Amino acid sequence: MPSTLVIDAHPDSGSLCAALAERYATGARSAGAQVELLALRDLDFDLDLRRGLRAEQPLEPDLLRAQASLVSADHVVVVAPVWWGSVPAVLKGFLDRTLERGWAYRYRDNGLPQGLLAGRSARVVMTTDSPGWWLRGLMGDSAVRQLRRSTLRFCGLKPVRATRIGPVHGSTAEQRESWLEQLADLGRTDARRAPRADKLTPVVRVPAPDLAA
């Protein structure tokens, strides 16, 4: 049975993102996946990486549980809004703290990075008030690129598919329901093609050097 971790990265439980995450989870379950829905707003942790990567910052219990969920997942979904061309602070803080060097990635002796969460697939779902041509053409699709390429792929997850929802501002109830149905369909589709659990790369923590940026 495939295992899917759905990360709801919106601070508001009444948001469209929260509803999209729920509907994706429902679709994946209907296709036989074992699904965990993780709402970051419910976690208790320090958003700030207080000393960068120069010193260890012990993980809070909620982040340790989140790491365990990432390890056990075949497929990871992140649902978040685009704010100022980036992501909400709660998601950025979660990624900074949870995707530890030596656990989610490391640097080889030749200086090249190695993702340590390899074998898992992912999807990024981003809501936006801006039209697609504006985000992709003029803004460079910065939030999607940040999550897809600079974070998830960097940590070894692939393929990482992207779904853009919007413009949300001014959308009708019918349009929002259509987006919810789209996410349910994606949940079912992704559950059927998620990697087999026995093909996952074991996550092994490796020692990190003392100094970093």
Side-chain angles (χ1 to χ4, degrees):
M1 177 186 298
S3 176
T4 297
L5 175 63
V6 180
I7 298 174
D8 172 4
H10 201 291
D12 182 6
S13 63
S15 65
L16 176 61
C17 280
L20 291 169
E22 288 275 5
R23 193 65 68 92
Y24 183 100
T26 298
R29 289 189 185 104
S30 72
Q34 179 179 335
V35 180
E36 179 183 356
L37 181 56
L38 181 65
L40 299 188
R41 59 184 168 270
D42 296 333
L43 305 187
D44 182 13
F45 69 99
D46 185 351
L47 296 179
D48 293 323
L49 200 58
R50 296 288 173 177
R51 298 184 62 189
L53 299 178
R54 293 185 297 107
E56 183 179 356
Q57 184 173 343
L59 296 182
E60 294 85 347
D62 281 350
L63 294 188
L64 289 172
R65 285 188 286 268
Q67 280 192 342
S69 296
L70 285 165
V71 169
S72 63
D74 309 309
H75 182 65
V76 178
V77 182
V78 181
V79 184
V82 177
W83 287 354
W84 295 111
S86 185
V87 297
V90 67
L91 176 55
K92 185 61 169 62
F94 175 80
L95 297 173
D96 286 347
R97 296 290 318 285
T98 305
L99 300 180
E100 294 180 297
R101 184 185 52 178
W103 181 82
Y105 70 95
R106 73 180 184 95
Y107 289 100
R108 299 182 176 94
D109 292 340
N110 61 8
L112 294 178
Q114 176 187 8
L116 300 178
L117 297 178
R120 295 156 180 83
S121 61
R123 180 177 295 277
V124 171
V125 179
M126 305 294 293
T127 63
T128 175
D129 287 334
S130 302
W133 63 265
W134 171 272
L135 284 179
R136 292 190 289 272
L138 298 181
M139 303 303 291
D141 216 11
S142 55
V144 170
R145 291 179 66 184
Q146 173 191 342
L147 283 176
R148 189 180 191 183
R149 181 184 303 176
S150 300
T151 304
L152 297 174
R153 284 183 182 171
F154 187 87
C155 292
L157 289 84
K158 63 179 181 180
V160 182
R161 299 177 174 88
T163 301
R164 301 164 184 82
I165 301 293
V168 176
H169 180 72
S171 62
T172 64
E174 291 76 17
Q175 179 63 72
R176 292 190 291 273
E177 182 57 35
S178 174
W179 288 328
L180 291 171
E181 284 302 311
Q182 178 185 352
L183 265 289
D185 288 341
L186 285 175
R188 286 187 285 268
T189 299
D190 288 347
R192 296 187 183 107
R193 64 186 175 194
R196 288 168 41 196
D198 60 356
K199 297 296 184 182
L200 294 182
T201 301
V203 177
V204 178
R205 189 178 298 274
V206 298
D210 294 332
L211 298 177

